[in-house]
Amino acid sequence: MAVTCVDASNLLLSKVVSCFGRVQICPAVNRSIGTTVRDCRELLPTIPDSVSASLSPFRSSFVTGRGLPSVSTALWQAATLLSSRTSFARVDEASEKANAAQTYSMDKPGVLVTLPMSIPLLTALEERFTVFRLWEAPDQSSFLAEHGHHIRGVVGNTIVGANAELIDSLPNLEIVSSYSVGLDKVDLTKCRERGIVVTNTPEVLTDDVADLAILLMLAALRRLGPAERYLRRGLWHVQGPFPLARKASGKRVGIVGLGRIGLATARRAEAFGCSIAYQGRSSKPGVPYVYYANIVDLATNSDVLIVCCPLTEETRHFIGRKVFNALGPEGALINVARGPIIDEDELVKALDEGRLGAAGLDVYENEPYVSLELLKMDNVVLVPHIGSATQETRKVMAELVLGNLDAHFSGKQLLTPIS
C-alpha cells in the first residue's frame, strides 16, 4: 500500500514508511511539523480512499479539521494505530468489498455503534440488535443516508458520540446510550428537541478515575517516568543516582469539581497526609474541606491541582495562564476530567517556560491526537485516557449500555437516564 505523505519530517516519514511500506512525498507541502488544519483539508484528496477509510473514526477530523492540530500529528498517530494489532487494523480491498456487500437484518432494532468498542460489548450488541458499524464506512454520509432510517439507537463514547449532524441524519432515533459518564460529545439540546432519551454509565468508574488521579500525582511529583527511562537506558551505572524529585505526601491538594470523582480523589489524597481544598459552583454542605469560589485563589493555595469537573461551555479553557502562574514553578497540574477544560497551548508554554513545574494528563484537548510538544517533555506524565480502563469497570459499563437499550426497546424503566 502506498500513502501520500503531507509532511517530509524524517521522524514522521520513518513512522509512516514502517506502516505502509513506501511513501510518496508531496513537494508542495514539504514543511515542518507545523502543517495546518487548512492544509489537511486541501490535501485530503491526495490520500488514497483505502487509507482514508482505514483512519475512521478519525476521518471526520480530516474532513472538517475539528480537533486536528496538524496533519503530521494525525498521520503519525494514524500510522501507529494502523500498524498495531487493534480494532484499527488495516482495511484491505477484500474487507472493503465485504463491507460494501454487507446486508442487515431488520428483524431486530437497529443500533449504530460510532467507533470500536470492547469485543464483549460488540458481541452482546450484535446478539440483541442489528448493529451498524459507523467507523467501517468509507463514506459515512452515504452510509447514514442509506441506513439511517433503520437506526433507532446510538452507542458512542467520549470520542465519537451523537452530535447534531449525526442526530439529524437518523430520523427514527429514539435513544443514545453512551459508553461513558461524560456527555460532552452528545448534543443534549438536540436530543431534548427530538424527544430522544440519553443514558450514560455513572458511578461505576468513580474509583478507577480517582485511583488514576493519585497515580498521576505521584508519578508527576516523583518523576516516575523519567526515572524508569533513566534505568532502562543504562544510565544508572554510568551517571550515578537519578536526580532528586519532590515529595508527594503532605502536599496541599486543590480539587476542581467536588463531585463523585472529586470527592473520591480527595479522600485518597488525605491518606497521603495532604490537606484538601476545592473549587466549584458552590460550597458543599457537610464537607470538611476549604472552599474557594475563585479558581486562581485555589491554585495560589495549592501545590497540586487536580481537575475533576465536567466539560461545559463554562468550563471550556477554564484553566489557563493565570491558573498555571498561580500554581507556580513547583506546582503540578493533574487532569482526569476532559481535555478542553485546560487551555493546552498555554499549558505547553507554562511547562516549557518553567512557570509550571509538572503535569499528569489522562485527557487532551484534541484527543486522540496529542500535542507533539507535550510528547517531547520530560516533566509531563501522559496516559491515553485510561481513567476507567480496567476489565472490571468496563464490564459493568457495558452491562449498563446493554441494560439501558434492552429496557428502552422493551418499554421498561431506564437504568441510568439523563434528565
Side-chain angles (χ1 to χ4, degrees), residues 106-159:
M106 295 302 112
D107 296 335
K108 297 179 287 187
V111 171
L112 180 74
V113 182
T114 61
L115 76 175
M117 303 284 178
S118 68
I119 292 175
L121 175 56
L122 273 175
T123 301
L125 285 168
E126 288 173 339
E127 289 172 353
R128 293 166 163 82
F129 312 106
T130 298
V131 172
F132 297 84
R133 301 184 178 210
L134 182 62
W135 75 93
E136 290 183 349
D139 184 337
Q140 293 184 3
S141 296
S142 298
F143 180 83
L144 292 170
E146 180 180 357
H147 301 292
H149 61 288
H150 294 304
I151 294 168
R152 297 169 59 192
V154 167
V155 175
N157 66 8
T158 55
I159 296 177

Side-chain angles (χ1 to χ4, degrees), residues 200-211:
N200 65 347
T201 61
E203 300 186 16
V204 298
L205 47 70
T206 298
D207 286 338
D208 281 345
V209 178
D211 289 347

